[in-house]
Amino acid sequence: MPFVRIEAFRAAPQRLDAPGRAVHHALTGTPGFPDDDLLQILTSHDGATSTIRTGTYPGVPRDEGAVSVTITLRAGRPDAQERALHHRIALLAEEHAGTEPRNVMVILHENGPADRSFGHGEAAYAPAPPDEPSTPRTPGPDRTPSA
């Protein structure tokens, strides 16, 4: 499950929704994530209580239309696939939201199998070996206590 954070400056809800759709479309296309594999936090910075500052490094002039996309995902994809993902996100951000590709910054944070828990305090991709003591699950509204 890729975890996506998108931040923009003074963005109306539809301005945030459009890059969210663009990133999701790119993730389901380029690396092939399933369509229902979606977790995004979309934030608009209002300029009064928060600010986005961007320089021009490395020679890319950005303005107040800048959008920051941070994606946390499991490590192991080839560099060519990651480059294609960056490119696809920039193209789709322009197509969906009118955001100039120069204003789209994408950062990928990769992690390993034991670095993710999607619930119950369990590492989703690195289950505990049978000889390791586990913490009992607390029953939730849709769970019954285990014996």
Side-chain angles (χ1 to χ4, degrees):
M1 171 182 283
F3 174 64
V4 178
R5 295 185 67 96
I6 298 174
E7 301 182 63
F9 189 67
R10 293 188 181 120
Q14 66 273 17
R15 182 163 169 243
L16 280 174
D17 179 65
R21 285 185 288 112
V23 169
H24 187 64
H25 187 207
L27 285 168
T28 58
T30 305
F33 284 98
D35 194 51
D36 67 341
D37 199 349
L38 175 66
L39 177 57
Q40 296 183 341
I41 296 176
L42 311 173
T43 305
S44 175
H45 295 273
D46 62 13
T49 59
S50 57
T51 303
I52 294 179
R53 293 184 180 151
T54 63
T56 58
Y57 181 83
V60 180
R62 288 174 290 277
D63 56 32
E64 285 192 356
V67 175
S68 168
V69 177
T70 305
I71 304 171
T72 303
L73 66 170
R74 284 181 54 190
R77 286 166 188 78
D79 288 348
Q81 189 178 61
E82 291 182 2
R83 284 191 298 272
L85 179 62
H86 293 304
H87 183 72
R88 185 84 174 132
I89 289 171
L91 289 177
L92 289 172
E94 182 174 39
E95 181 181 310
H96 288 278
T99 303
E100 294 180 51
R102 69 180 174 87
N103 274 330
V104 180
M105 297 171 281
V106 179
I107 304 294
L108 302 180
H109 288 279
E110 296 182 318
N111 57 31
D115 296 326
R116 296 167 164 251
S117 172
F118 300 118
H120 307 295
E122 298 171 0
Y125 300 117
D131 60 337
E132 185 176 298
S134 63
T135 305
R137 293 183 181 185
T138 304
D142 62 338
R143 299 185 55 131
T144 56
S146 52

